[in-house]
């Protein structure tokens, strides 16, 4: 048989501090009763994939050896960054949070058999490979006429966007702030303040018709933010950056609005309006620095889609996924600027391009493209 | 009538950056139907009173003028600290979160009339004065045989301690960490880790029979903390300090335990165990610095007794208060090292003493002591 093995991209942090990217050839397993085998046709490179894939290595110093499926790329990791990856040293990691493809074989159970030949989306990890085993129950079956490319990004960005709005509603916030441009985030009736870091990002959001855009690189940032918070009533923020002073600045600006709105008398503990920042990304892995001026009703915390879904339970998860499937060509449509093969994913020039996380650029890996 | 006026301690931040403490003489109001007038006999100086009372002024540079009820103390506030008090400049603030005394007059309602002559505790603010008006419903009637001195500290420390344990239970934590020594905090079956900053504090807690004590000034702090967290399963901390790196160190140590216990496979997002630090004090008002190494399941936030009580509602509040009233001479007994008059509270040497917040020292103001 031709398809008894499949290639899979692997990321390895070596004890000497080098990152090594390579392809491994693995036998395609026989699915258990409740499992299916998906031939992966499309898997996006999301910012959330880059941490595991590149381990903060200096990709400008990447070097390549070998040919075809034997290609190996090596890049150095700075010793300070290496500490954060101690838990994965010597472990060859499969990469790729999400993707989509066609079910090519299925276990004996009726649920698995029903998926044979169907195009499905998966949020399973290890999607940068030609075949992926999955529980039948974890497959999101795409509506008729939807391709694997259409459905490749059905989870991370759409569910994160829906999860943010759901969190705002669950926790009783009237509006929300989002840092770093996100094309997929709509408020669904919850007013939204976008904090970006450049005029180019301001323009992209303006062109999308976004109302409240604040540029943190402007000297008027604090005043602009307070005005937008006042206009929207936002007391919740989702921050993709993490490190630095931004989370504290957002809290202090929210408190300025809350205290200004309610404080006829001085309260040394600040307003009783709860102000919350969730950090869901790590664009800056450095120190989080909070300058306290936001009273006592505040919180900063991590937000992770997996943990959110576990918290809200299967019913809410199913509702959100059904919405994504229905709107995969409209609200949640993804646009890719470049589609690459597994082999191209190991090309130092291509790595340099996708590791830039440039606004408006999005890469798709198509593992079914020929490698050798 | 002799008692038509009463003295009240006031704290004023002047526009030039000076703190001014003085006494004002006010008419004793006639209570409304649902109100009572309490002759305050005892009000503690808690750490949480010092912020409003002293406004971070340099009390070593305090100077006094005037005599008796006309005494005025002045102390400079550093310009950097002054910014935090902008909201109270020019406003003469009454001080003293809690205290106890005897109801000397009551409004027409049966609830108010029933309190006449009773010894009650109040959590009303403005307790550093000879008379305090209160809603009858806000009075905690002390059991027979309990004096105002016994009941003066019935709210802040006891309810904070009970509120911490209640929070741990509500949010599903198995154990909790407390920073800065707190004599009133018992775990009530929830295992407790105490983080202190000196051998003297370690000894005080050892003498109280406390099991898990960690000294953050020791080089072995991190290892000691991890061991104590492992032994107790604590994933929640209440931190009185605020500024600096401690909150982040606690989260990182909790994550080390959580990841060590569960991580057979590497997870770049860390463990899914939620780790929480609540900052409820401001011993260090500086930057909160969080060094991220604690995954994505974490939170840091403010915790304030008022906000906690508002969140849990009147039923829980009544239950906690009833417990305090029942155990005011045992579990929640307070010991005062010095009782002072309102006038002594304006003595620079006495101010220097009570502003030290020294472990084991606690001051009580008795506003009924003669002033002039």
């Amino acid at each position: 048989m031709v398809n008894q093995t499949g290639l899979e991209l692997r990321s390895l942090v070596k004890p000497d501090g080098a990152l090594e990217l390579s392809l491994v050839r693995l036998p395609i397993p026989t699915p258990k009763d409740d499992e299916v085998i998906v031939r992966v046709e499309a898997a996006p490179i999301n910012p959330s994939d880059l941490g595991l894939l590149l381990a903060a290595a200096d990709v400008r110093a990447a070097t390549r050896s070998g040919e075809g499926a034997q290609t190996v790329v090596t890049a150095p990791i700075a010793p300070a960054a290496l500490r954060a990856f101690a838990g994965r040293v010597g472990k060859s990691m499969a990469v790729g949070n999400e993707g989509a493809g066609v079910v090519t074989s299925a276990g004996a159970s009726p649920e698995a058999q029903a998926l044979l030949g169907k195009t499905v989306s998966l949020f399973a990890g290890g999607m940068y490979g030609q075949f992926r085993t999955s529980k039948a129950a974890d497959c999101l079956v795409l509506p008729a006429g939807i391709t694997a490319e259409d459905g490749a990004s059905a989870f991370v960005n759409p569910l994160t966007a829906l999860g943010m709005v759901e969190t705002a509603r669950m926790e009783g916030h009237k509006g929300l702030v989002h840092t770093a441009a996100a094309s997929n985030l709509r408020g669904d009736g919850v007013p939204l303040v976008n904090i970006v870091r450049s005029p180019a990002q301001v323009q992209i959001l303006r062109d999308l018709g976004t109302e409240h855009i604040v540029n943190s690189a402007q000297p008027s940032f604090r005043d602009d933010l307070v005005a937008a918070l006042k206009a929207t009533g936002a007391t919740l923020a989702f921050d993709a950056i993490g490190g630095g002073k931004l989370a504290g600045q957002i809290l202090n600006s929210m408190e300025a609005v809350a205290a200004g709105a309610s404080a006829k008398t001085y309260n040394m503990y600040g307003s009783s309006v709860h102000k919350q920042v969730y950090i869901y990304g790590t664009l800056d892995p450095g120190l989080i620095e909070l300058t306290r001026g936001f009273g006592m009703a505040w919180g900063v915390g991590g937000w992770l889609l997996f943990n959110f879904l576990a918290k809200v339970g299967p019913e809410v998860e199913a509702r959100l996924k059904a919405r994504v499937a229905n709107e995969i060509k409209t609200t949640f449509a993804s646009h890719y600027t470049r589609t690459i093969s597994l082999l191209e994913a190991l090309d130092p020039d291509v790595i340099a391009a996708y590791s830039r996380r440039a606004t408006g650029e999005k890469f798709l890996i198509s593992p079914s493209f020929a490698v050798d």
Side-chain angles (χ1 to χ4, degrees), chain A:
Chain A
M1 268 179 74
V2 178
N3 270 338
Q4 282 180 321
T5 65
L7 290 171
E8 185 172 292
L9 191 153
R10 289 295 181 86
S11 171
L12 172 68
V13 174
K14 303 209 290 189
D16 64 1
L19 169 75
E20 187 180 281
L21 301 180
S22 64
L23 302 177
V24 294
R25 185 172 290 283
L26 299 169
I28 303 169
T30 305
K32 293 180 192 152
D33 284 1
D34 61 345
E35 288 180 346
V36 297
I37 306 294
V38 177
R39 188 184 66 231
V40 181
E41 296 186 342
I45 302 180
N46 289 312
S48 54
D49 293 309
L50 292 175
L52 187 62
L53 181 63
L54 301 178
D58 179 5
V59 296
R60 292 163 309 178
T63 55
R64 178 170 45 171
S65 64
E67 290 291 328
Q70 276 71 51
T71 298
V72 173
V73 184
T74 305
I77 303 172
L82 191 60
R83 276 198 299 274
F85 301 105
R88 57 171 288 193
V89 169
K91 294 176 185 160
S92 174
M93 311 292 296
V95 191
N97 283 316
E98 65 181 343
V102 174
V103 175
T104 53
S105 70
S109 75
E111 294 73 22
Q113 286 293 317
L115 297 178
L116 260 177
K118 292 273 188 355
T119 301
V120 299
S121 287
L122 283 180
F123 182 31
M127 297 302 293
Y128 299 165
Q130 294 178 323
F131 294 90
R132 182 73 173 90
T133 307
S134 168
K135 299 264 185 218
D138 291 341
C139 293
L140 178 67
V141 179
L142 294 170
I146 304 296
T147 66
E149 180 170 329
D150 293 332
S153 298
F155 292 95
V156 177
N157 284 350
L159 289 180
T160 297
L162 291 176
M164 288 176 180
V165 175
E166 194 76 17
T167 299
R169 293 225 175 88
M170 278 166 40
E171 300 184 2
H173 296 277
K174 273 173 45 189
L176 66 84
V177 177
H178 190 226
T179 76
S183 56
N184 262 325
L185 184 57
R186 303 282 182 277
D188 274 339
V190 176
L192 194 59
V193 175
N194 290 276
I195 300 177
V196 295
R197 296 187 284 186
S198 72
Q201 291 171 317
V202 170
Q203 197 52 52
I204 288 170
L205 287 173
R206 277 214 201 299
D207 294 345
L208 287 167
T210 307
E211 187 176 2
H212 299 287
I213 312 165
V214 179
N215 182 350
S216 64
Q218 290 284 335
S220 61
F221 171 52
R222 157 96 193 204
D223 292 342
D224 297 345
L225 180 56
V226 167
L229 293 170
K230 207 169 197 168
T232 55
T235 46
L236 172 65
F238 283 92
D239 173 39
I241 298 167
K245 295 182 178 296
L246 184 60
Q249 288 169 334
I250 293 171
L251 290 175
N252 280 314
S253 299
M254 287 175 173
E255 176 64 7
V257 175
S262 65
K264 282 172 205 151
T265 53
Y266 172 75
N267 184 339
M268 66 173 290
Y269 297 116
S271 78
S272 61
V273 174
H274 186 78
K275 303 158 293 287
Q276 179 72 41
V277 176
Y278 285 119
I279 295 173
Y280 75 101
T282 314
L283 291 177
D284 178 348
L287 263 187
I288 301 168
E289 299 176 274
L290 307 173
T291 304
R292 289 174 84 175
F294 35 72
M296 293 298 284
W298 65 279
V300 174
W303 193 93
L304 185 68
L305 180 56
F306 301 95
N307 296 347
F308 165 78
L309 293 175
K311 187 176 165 188
V312 297
E315 211 163 305
V316 171
E317 180 171 343
R319 166 165 61 79
L320 300 182
K321 283 183 176 173
R323 171 143 183 230
V324 174
N326 283 332
E327 301 179 27
I328 194 75
K329 292 280 276 186
T330 54
T331 317
F332 302 111
S334 286
H335 305 283
Y336 302 98
T337 43
R338 188 161 169 195
T339 301
I340 59 176
S341 68
L342 285 173
L343 193 52
E344 284 174 297
L346 303 190
D347 180 321
D349 292 336
V350 179
I351 295 172
Y354 65 65
S355 67
R356 268 205 315 260
R357 314 168 190 226
T359 303
E361 275 188 17
K362 188 154 185 181
F363 282 70
L364 187 72
I365 295 181
S366 185
S368 49
F369 280 9
V371 165
D372 54 1

